[in-house]
Amino acid sequence: MVNIYFYKSVQDYHNNVKSHNTINYSKKDFIRYLINAGGFRNQRISFNGIRFYLNLVRMALKENNGNFYITSDFSNSESSIKAAISYFIGILSAYAIADKHYNIPYLFHLKDPIITNITRYKDYNNIPDFFGLKNGANNSPVLLEAKGTVKSKLGKDIISNAKKQLSAINSINFITSNGSHTISTFERHITGSYFKKGELYFCDVDPEFDGHLEYYLDANVAILRYYKNIMELLISSKKKIEVKRIEEVEYSIVDFEGYQVGINTGIFNLLREYSGYFYNLPDDCELYNSITEISMYSYENTPVSLRENNSISLGRDGIIIF
């Protein structure tokens, strides 16, 4: 469980004018988020890379009575190590708020060079971290910039830099098998993590700013990239892939570091068909639409009691950890 404070503007953040919500998270949720966040440049991360992110959660955060607190290992680290770990915990805040507050099934890395930048304006060298669609719908786009600190609040300079990054994007040409859809109106959010009296908090700040940068995003390539880490874990594992049925939905899973990690079997089978592709997918590829249909239908038809069960972490993207 994490307390999240929401601010309607940067000025509200500075004046401490806020609303509050408490959202239930588990350590398995955090591990699921970081497994997805780890890859870059359309490359999978190795077993050791996935172990690193798993152990990063274990090293930095401890759970007590449903809340999360900074560990002594983290709080007593040298300053540069604290800064690095704070960055990862900040990334967690983006995934966590996107997943359980905005109902965003996939976050795409805008800083990943597989996404084509076609127009860059002066003074906009920095861009936000993530782009996503609420409930997978093109009419509900969101841009997110993630920040993190070990202090009790994100500093003014951090918020100012995040606002500039979010101000960079003017439009995204979102390309699917149905054609190219230009998205030019976004919700923009600075998400952040910080610690008050050792307890983990998240925040969400609306910077109220329009952008100036245009991007191309091929949804089929992006969705293939999104699942590369979990597919690497399943396909390259020396352990047998087991199929488990949960509430009429089948999941392909493997044992990993004391957890069972897997993905909706329908999505797994689709991704395996395209596992040999890098960028040049077939012209008739329907990967993004097909995966979105499977993942959203399966999630929405899974009982709320199971989705909110702390013994299982199940995402709208069909990835599961238990």
Side-chain angles (χ1 to χ4, degrees):
M1 183 169 62
V2 177
N3 289 292
I4 306 177
Y5 288 99
F6 297 87
Y7 303 85
K8 293 182 178 180
S9 68
V10 171
Q11 192 61 44
D12 279 357
Y13 181 80
H14 295 323
N15 293 334
N16 203 30
V17 178
K18 61 196 176 186
S19 61
H20 171 260
N21 193 13
T22 300
I23 298 181
N24 187 38
Y25 295 103
S26 69
K27 190 171 287 188
K28 292 173 184 175
D29 289 326
F30 292 164
I31 292 168
R32 175 165 58 86
Y33 301 148
L34 282 182
I35 287 176
N36 275 342
F40 207 60
R41 293 183 180 274
N42 205 27
Q43 299 295 320
R44 302 179 179 99
I45 59 174
S46 67
F47 274 28
N48 286 334
I50 295 175
R51 286 191 184 100
F52 168 78
Y53 294 115
L54 184 152
N55 287 314
L56 179 67
V57 175
R58 290 170 170 169
M59 177 270 186
L61 300 172
K62 61 183 178 182
E63 193 171 2
N64 187 18
N65 293 326
N67 295 325
F68 290 90
Y69 297 87
I70 194 169
T71 64
S72 59
D73 287 339
F74 184 12
S75 63
N76 293 325
S77 297
E78 189 269 336
S79 59
S80 60
I81 295 175
K82 281 183 182 177
I85 297 174
S86 294
Y87 167 77
F88 286 110
I89 305 301
I91 291 291
L92 275 185
S93 74
Y95 274 88
I97 293 172
D99 180 25
K100 296 199 177 185
H101 183 72
Y102 293 118
N103 299 338
I104 297 173
Y106 318 108
L107 280 186
F108 300 116
H109 285 274
L110 283 176
K111 295 175 181 176
D112 195 321
I114 68 165
I115 299 172
T116 305
N117 171 12
I118 63 169
T119 308
R120 181 176 290 281
Y121 290 80
K122 184 180 178 181
D123 299 328
Y124 287 94
N125 291 322
N126 291 322
I127 57 174
D129 289 311
F130 299 111
F131 163 72
L133 301 168
K134 290 183 180 180
N135 298 305
N138 286 358
N139 61 353
S140 299
V142 181
L143 297 172
L144 298 169
E145 172 60 24
K147 300 296 183 184
T149 181
V150 294
K151 298 179 180 179
S152 60
K153 188 176 183 179
L154 294 175
K156 289 184 178 181
D157 57 333
I158 294 176
I159 295 294
S160 176
N161 288 337
K163 179 176 178 177
K164 289 179 181 178
Q165 289 171 262
L166 283 166
S167 73
I169 301 296
N170 178 57
S171 65
I172 292 177
N173 291 313
F174 192 66
I175 306 164
T176 70
S177 56
N178 298 328
S180 178
H181 175 67
T182 299
I183 300 170
S184 56
T185 302
F186 303 91
E187 286 188 28
R188 302 168 195 263
H189 297 275
I190 303 165
T191 65
S193 62
Y194 58 97
F195 293 87
K196 291 178 65 174
K197 296 182 179 179
E199 183 178 348
L200 176 65
Y201 284 75
F202 292 153
C203 65
D204 181 317
V205 183
D206 183 347
E208 297 183 311
F209 210 100
D210 293 328
H212 300 277
L213 192 66
E214 190 174 353
Y215 259 61
Y216 267 118
L217 194 157
D218 187 316
N220 288 320
V221 173
I223 203 73
L224 187 63
R225 154 68 198 93
Y226 179 89
Y227 287 102
K228 276 189 176 293
N229 294 341
I230 189 68
M231 290 297 290
E232 171 73 9
L233 185 61
L234 289 166
I235 293 174
S236 300
S237 175
K238 295 179 181 179
K239 297 181 180 179
K240 181 180 178 181
I241 296 175
E242 181 182 354
V243 176
K244 282 193 173 183
R245 181 180 291 271
I246 301 174
E247 295 292 335
E248 305 305 315
V249 178
E250 288 188 345
Y251 293 90
S252 299
I253 64 169
V254 293
D255 292 327
F256 182 74
E257 298 291 312
Y259 295 94
Q260 290 189 306
V261 181
I263 188 173
N264 182 299
T265 298
I267 296 174
F268 174 74
N269 289 336
L270 275 172
L271 291 167
R272 191 160 53 177
E273 288 182 31
Y274 291 94
S275 61
Y277 288 91
F278 194 67
Y279 293 117
N280 299 318
L281 294 169
D283 292 337
D284 60 350
C285 178
E286 295 271 354
L287 192 61
Y288 176 80
N289 290 341
S290 299
I291 287 178
T292 300
E293 182 178 353
I294 292 171
S295 63
M296 297 304 293
Y297 177 83
S298 299
Y299 187 86
E300 294 302 326
N301 285 277
T302 299
V304 174
S305 58
L306 180 61
R307 299 191 323 231
E308 296 181 351
N309 187 336
N310 280 346
S311 66
I312 294 177
S313 174
L314 175 63
R316 287 175 176 78
D317 53 11
I319 296 175
I320 190 168
I321 299 179
F322 54 97

